[in-house]
Amino acid sequence: MWLQGLLIGLALAAFVLIAIEDVIHLNKAKTTLLLGTFSWLLLFIFGPAALAVDDVPEALNENLLDIATLWLFLMAAMTFVAFLNAKGLIANLIYRLLPKRIGERGLLYLTGLFAFAFSSLADNITATLVSLTLVLSLGLAPKKTLRFAVLAVFAVNSGGVALITGDVTTLMIFLAGKVRISELMLLALPSFLSVMLLATLLLPGLGGEVNLVREPRATRRLDRLVAWLFLATILSTLGLNVLFGVPPLLTFLFGMSLMFLLGHVAERRSDSEERRILDYIRIIEFDTLLFFLGILLMVGALKEARLLEGLAQLYALMPAMQANYLVGLLSALVDNVPLTAAVLKADVSMNDAEWLALTYAAGVGGSLLVIGSAAGVIALSKVREVSFMSYLRFFPALLLAYSVGYLGAYWLGGQITNTPVTLALSSLG
């Protein structure tokens, strides 16, 4: 069908434009939103005749509902992080955790630990920027800075897979009903071990000591209250979903509304000229949110045109464990958001352990190449020592760490999801 061919062409064009974003200096949010909406326009105009699709409006409404849930959740989480980062609470946390003087090898492990932990709470972009700011502040030699940056990229991508607040692909798989929060938490162990494995592989060449310059910022009582509220919102999101099935979006919007209320009360008592707390919703990464909107619209259009059946054939040709591993490798070349969306839209049948393995693969596989994830692209633009070829030198170590983490995720999922405790949690979630 000519319409199917045109939609495939638009999707390929979108992927190419995403890959060369830094070359042509055209934000991927603009191109994907244009091509995604254009794909649906074509379906509305030509779909009923060319593809015998009669329920295009209903299909669009279903897609928009899924997208809105993801979009609003990310908006709430990013608003919290934007406020805390602007107020210096994240930087102050780093200064509290790190000693004044530490060996380079120990600092490498601590950097991986911090990037891993922080990316579970914040979006990958913020976590990468904060982690790389820490790396660049160390004043290391170029070759050593490169090793720290490589670990930061891998740790950021690894840390997000175990919590829906940390990685958008994890959130997508959760919202599709393929995994439960009680199961996702299992991924923290293999993900963390893979980060520590990579840190160990990157140790050769390190051995000196580093003096850390501390520049703590003064914070207000309101700032600290918002930080505690953010932590409470995350814990409540996890607990309420497991115990009562409360959608994470609802809990996070409730937490954000409490943050705005706190700001209103504090601002009425203060004569400060600082930005109002409600204004922080305007400084989040809206281009990232628009990119998700565009790419999910495009994948939804491909599904309605029955063009994702080929991806389902991949899982028919080989076991799901191998197919998921391959999807992770592909995410180093193709953005993991459309890949994950395509697998979900293809309605592939997998068990819990296999869905957990896919969650890990989709979240971490992009770390294998510097262009494979948002964290890698940010490192490419922010750290002078990072280039495509310099990052590629660490591909064997990255592949080994990814493979060990993937096998651990699959094995642990198979072992624990069938235990009585987990089955009881699953029945509640």
Side-chain angles (χ1 to χ4, degrees):
M1 290 290 185
W2 66 270
L3 182 54
Q4 289 179 317
L6 180 56
L7 291 175
I8 292 175
L10 291 175
L12 292 175
F15 291 143
V16 171
L17 290 171
I18 291 170
I20 64 174
E21 175 187 15
D22 291 328
V23 177
I24 62 177
H25 303 292
L26 181 59
N27 192 300
K28 61 186 178 182
K30 300 175 182 177
T31 55
T32 53
L33 186 58
L34 172 67
L35 297 175
T37 52
F38 184 54
S39 297
W40 278 98
L41 287 173
L42 292 175
L43 279 178
F44 268 91
I45 297 171
F46 302 107
L51 301 174
V53 178
D54 298 324
D55 55 351
V56 178
E58 181 181 349
L60 178 61
N61 288 335
E62 291 178 359
N63 273 269
L64 290 177
L65 177 61
D66 293 340
I67 294 169
T69 303
L70 172 67
W71 214 86
L72 291 172
F73 179 89
L74 291 174
M75 180 198 69
M78 292 168 73
T79 302
F80 267 112
V81 175
F83 176 85
L84 297 176
N85 194 37
K87 296 302 181 181
L89 273 84
I90 296 173
N92 286 354
L93 177 62
I94 297 175
Y95 296 132
R96 285 179 178 273
L97 293 176
L98 296 180
K100 294 181 179 179
R101 184 177 180 86
I102 186 174
E104 291 175 349
R105 294 190 170 196
L107 184 58
L108 184 67
Y109 284 110
L110 283 179
T111 300
L113 175 61
F114 171 78
F116 178 88
F118 186 59
S119 65
S120 298
L121 305 177
D123 62 279
N124 282 3
I125 294 176
T126 301
T128 305
L129 288 172
V130 172
S131 299
L132 292 179
T133 299
L134 169 63
V135 170
L136 292 175
S137 69
L138 301 177
L140 299 172
K143 290 184 178 180
K144 296 178 179 180
T145 299
L146 176 61
R147 292 175 180 269
F148 275 77
V150 170
L151 179 64
V153 170
F154 187 85
V156 163
N157 288 328
S158 298
V161 298
L163 288 177
I164 58 176
T165 52
D167 191 272
V168 66
T169 53
T170 298
L171 179 60
M172 290 167 63
I173 295 172
F174 168 77
L175 292 177
K178 305 301 183 182
V179 292
R180 300 177 180 87
I181 286 180
S182 57
E183 296 169 344
L184 282 174
M185 292 178 180
L186 305 177
L187 291 179
L189 180 59
S191 299
F192 177 72
L193 291 178
S194 66
V195 171
M196 293 298 101
L197 171 61
L198 179 61
T200 303
L201 296 174
L202 296 176
L203 284 178
L206 301 178
E209 289 193 340
V210 178
N211 292 314
L212 300 177
V213 180
R214 297 171 178 266
E215 297 178 357
R217 290 176 54 181
T219 58
R220 302 176 299 170
R221 183 168 177 266
L222 171 64
D223 305 335
R224 296 188 292 274
L225 284 175
V226 171
W228 285 111
L229 175 61
F230 180 46
L231 180 61
T233 300
I234 293 174
L235 296 177
S236 300
T237 298
L238 303 178
L240 291 177
N241 181 266
V242 171
L243 295 175
F244 305 107
V246 177
L249 170 62
L250 181 61
T251 310
F252 248 87
L253 288 178
F254 179 73
M256 184 176 68
S257 67
L258 289 178
M259 178 178 72
F260 292 154
L261 185 60
L262 278 176
H264 175 75
V265 173
E267 287 153 6
R268 290 188 62 183
R269 299 176 179 176
S270 173
D271 297 327
S272 174
E273 296 293 329
E274 291 188 8
R275 182 196 302 268
R276 293 184 305 155
I277 198 167
L278 183 61
D279 291 340
Y280 285 90
I281 201 171
R282 301 187 179 99
I283 65 172
I284 62 178
E285 298 281 346
F286 273 100
D287 56 342
T288 300
L289 295 176
L290 290 174
F291 164 68
F292 293 150
L293 172 59
I295 206 67
L296 293 174
L297 281 172
M298 174 160 291
V299 174
L302 293 177
K303 174 183 181 285
E304 297 309 315
R306 297 184 291 276
L307 290 169
L308 297 182
E309 297 174 359
L311 185 61
Q313 292 300 316
L314 174 66
Y315 286 82
L317 293 174
M318 62 180 66
M321 181 181 178
Q322 297 177 16
N324 289 335
Y325 183 82
L326 181 59
V327 168
L329 298 180
L330 289 175
S331 70
L333 296 171
V334 179
D335 193 276
N336 61 354
V337 172
L339 268 181
T340 304
V343 174
L344 292 173
K345 294 291 184 181
D347 198 23
V348 177
S349 177
M350 291 190 285
N351 60 35
D352 288 351
E354 290 163 346
W355 278 114
L356 285 174
L358 175 65
T359 304
Y360 178 87
V364 183
S367 308
L368 298 177
L369 296 178
V370 74
I371 61 172
S373 66
V377 173
I378 292 172
L380 189 62
S381 61
K382 298 292 184 182
V383 183
R384 183 178 57 185
E385 293 80 6
V386 175
S387 66
F388 183 86
M389 294 307 298
S390 66
Y391 193 94
L392 188 62
R393 287 168 35 205
F394 298 94
F395 181 82
L398 289 164
L399 180 62
L400 177 59
Y402 162 74
S403 301
V404 169
Y406 178 80
L407 291 173
Y410 180 81
W411 179 84
L412 197 61
Q415 293 295 313
I416 301 183
T417 53
N418 293 320
T419 64
V421 174
T422 306
L423 289 174
L425 289 173
S426 298
S427 65
L428 292 173

